[in-house]
């Protein structure tokens, strides 16, 4: 009727809210302890996070840079997850405001280097994940203050070497992942200082040989992954220090003869030696029979020589030797 004022259509009422939401896809909540943002269009690290924040996850976004002040005012921060972004560099002082940080995950960014002193105030860090970046070299200064680090993942980078004793300060480290890099050799003291190490992953590198004392610094090692390298021979006694080894993966190398760690009563070694050109004669057969490890994979564990055993499964030949003697 004339004189009445109709209310605006619902679309006009909702439009300002929709625009505001698009402009700020990840807004912090007051007094929250965890902040999560996976908005693909996010290009700036969120500001205004409450001082109560314990964990931040900004992942799968367009974030390419971080300001040195990004973590100011977050004195209780324990976890920082920044995986699958576009970061190419980090400010050297980024972590100074968060000395209680325990977990830092930078998986799948584009980091070619890190500042020398980035971890100088990160003495409480326990888990550091740098997998899937473009790191070409390891700086000893990164690890000087990480005395409590338990887990270090450097997989899928472009590392061509491990500098001697670079990990020496990491006396608490339990797991080290160097898989899928470009390592062609290991220095004799590459693992120096890692007396607490339990898991070492060197899979998918270009290792052609190992120094005889490679594992002398790691007597507590329980899991060792060396598959998908170019190992042609194993030094005599290379595994002797590894009396607690439970898993040994040597698959898909170029090995013709085998070395094994000492057999400890009551322990079973899970062993994968598939994809190697084994010489199935007495030294190999007697070793496998005596230690009696459980072969994790047998269908690709074949004899390349001598001719009478060519193409046969190693486990089958070992069982035959058990019946007839070597």
């Amino acid at each position: 009727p004339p004189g009445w004022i109709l209310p605006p259509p619902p679309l006009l009422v909702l439009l300002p809210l929709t625009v505001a939401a698009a402009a700020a896809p990840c807004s912090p909540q007051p007094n929250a302890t965890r902040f999560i943002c996976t908005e693909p269009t996010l290009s700036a690290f969120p500001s205004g996070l409450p001082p109560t924040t314990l964990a931040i996850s900004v992942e799968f976004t367009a974030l390419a840079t971080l300001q040195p002040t990004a973590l100011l005012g977050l004195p209780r921060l324990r976890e920082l997850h920044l995986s699958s972004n576009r970061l190419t560099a980090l400010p050297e002082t980024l972590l100074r405001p968060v000395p209680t940080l325990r977990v830092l995950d930078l998986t799948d960014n584009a980091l070619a280097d890190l500042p020398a002193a980035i971890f100088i105030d990160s003495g409480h860090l326990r888990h550091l994940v740098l997998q899937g970046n473009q790191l070409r070299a390891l700086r000893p200064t990164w690890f000087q203050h990480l005395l409590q680090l338990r887990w270090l993942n450097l997989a899928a980078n472009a590392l061509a070497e491990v500098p001697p004793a670079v990990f020496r300060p990491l006396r608490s480290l339990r797991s080290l992942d160097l898989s899928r890099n470009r390592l062609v050799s290991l220095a004799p003291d590459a693992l120096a200082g890692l007396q607490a190490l339990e898991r070492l992953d060197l899979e998918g590198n270009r290792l052609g040989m190992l120094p005889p004392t490679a594992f002398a610094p790691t007597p507590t090692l329980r899991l060792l992954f060396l598959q998908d390298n170019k190992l042609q021979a194993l030094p005599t006694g290379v595994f002797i220090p590894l009396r607690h080894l439970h898993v040994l993966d040597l698959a898909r190398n170029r090995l013709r003869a085998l070395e094994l760690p000492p057999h400890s009563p009551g322990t079973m070694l899970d062993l994968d030696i598939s994809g190697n050109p084994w010489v199935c004669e007495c030294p190999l057969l007697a070793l496998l029979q005596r230690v009696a490890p459980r072969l994790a994979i047998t269908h690709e564990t074949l004899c390349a020589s001598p001719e009478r055993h060519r193409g046969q499964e190693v486990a089958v030949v070992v069982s035959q030797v058990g019946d007839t003697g070597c």
Side-chain angles (χ1 to χ4, degrees):
W4 285 26
I5 300 176
L6 295 176
L11 180 61
L12 297 179
V13 174
L14 295 176
L15 187 57
L17 297 178
T18 303
V19 172
C26 295
S27 299
Q29 300 296 318
N31 302 319
T33 59
R34 178 174 291 273
F35 177 81
I36 299 174
C37 182
T38 57
E39 170 55 51
T41 63
L42 185 76
S43 59
F45 192 79
S47 60
L49 297 174
T52 54
T53 304
L54 300 177
I56 296 173
S57 296
V58 177
E59 303 176 290
F60 304 97
T61 77
L63 186 67
T65 60
L66 286 170
Q67 297 300 317
T69 56
L71 302 177
L72 280 177
L74 301 170
R76 301 175 59 188
L77 193 66
R78 300 292 189 272
E79 298 185 20
L80 179 59
H81 300 270
L82 296 172
S83 71
S84 303
N85 293 303
R86 302 178 186 177
L87 296 170
T88 58
L90 297 178
E92 187 164 58
T93 58
L94 175 68
L95 303 178
R96 302 276 174 87
V98 290
T100 59
L101 196 68
R102 300 292 196 273
V103 176
L104 176 59
D105 185 357
L106 290 160
T107 299
D108 291 336
N109 279 280
L111 298 167
D113 196 7
L114 296 175
I118 189 168
F119 300 120
I120 194 171
D121 293 307
S122 300
H124 293 283
L125 201 64
R126 301 291 184 90
H127 293 250
L128 175 58
V129 185
L130 293 164
Q131 174 179 333
N133 281 279
Q134 300 170 16
L135 299 175
R136 294 179 176 85
L138 298 175
R139 294 177 179 262
T141 53
W142 293 346
F143 308 113
Q144 287 180 353
H145 303 280
L146 302 184
L147 306 185
Q148 297 188 39
L149 196 67
R150 302 291 183 89
W151 183 290
L152 176 58
N153 189 336
L154 292 160
N157 279 280
L159 301 173
E161 65 174 350
V162 177
V166 68
F167 301 126
R168 188 183 292 278
L170 306 183
R171 58 193 182 206
S172 298
L173 197 68
R174 300 293 192 270
S175 178
L176 174 60
D177 194 339
L178 288 162
S179 64
R180 292 171 286 132
N181 276 281
R182 301 175 184 175
L183 304 177
V184 297
S185 63
L186 283 181
D189 54 353
L191 304 176
L194 300 181
Q195 67 267 22
L197 196 67
E198 297 179 358
R199 178 190 177 107
L200 175 61
D201 196 336
L202 291 164
E203 171 190 358
N205 280 283
R206 304 170 184 176
L207 296 171
M209 59 177 295
L210 296 172
T213 58
F215 305 115
T218 59
T220 59
L221 208 61
R222 298 181 63 251
L223 303 102
L224 176 56
F225 301 95
L226 288 162
Q227 67 269 36
D228 295 306
N229 277 282
K230 298 181 179 181
L231 295 171
Q232 298 188 25
L234 295 169
T236 301
V238 67
F239 298 131
I240 283 180
L242 306 183
R243 298 184 176 276
H244 303 285
L245 202 64
H246 178 67
V247 173
L248 176 59
D249 197 331
L250 294 166
R252 296 175 297 281
N253 278 279
R254 301 173 182 177
L255 297 170
R256 297 168 60 83
L258 183 62
E259 284 282 323
L260 288 177
H263 177 58
S264 300
T267 61
M268 180 71 77
L269 178 67
D270 288 340
L271 179 67
D272 189 346
I273 59 173
S274 62
N276 286 278
W278 297 113
V279 176
C280 292
E281 292 183 332
C282 276
L284 174 68
L285 303 179
L287 177 61
L288 291 176
Q289 185 184 41
R290 181 175 69 253
V291 180
R294 177 164 55 90
L295 295 180
I297 296 177
T298 59
H299 67 279
E300 295 178 355
T301 307
L302 306 177
C303 301
S305 61
E307 187 61 34
R308 68 182 183 278
H309 294 315
R310 183 186 298 272
Q312 288 185 269
E313 292 182 2
V314 172
V316 171
V317 178
V318 170
S319 67
Q320 292 172 350
V321 169
D323 296 333
T324 62
C326 185

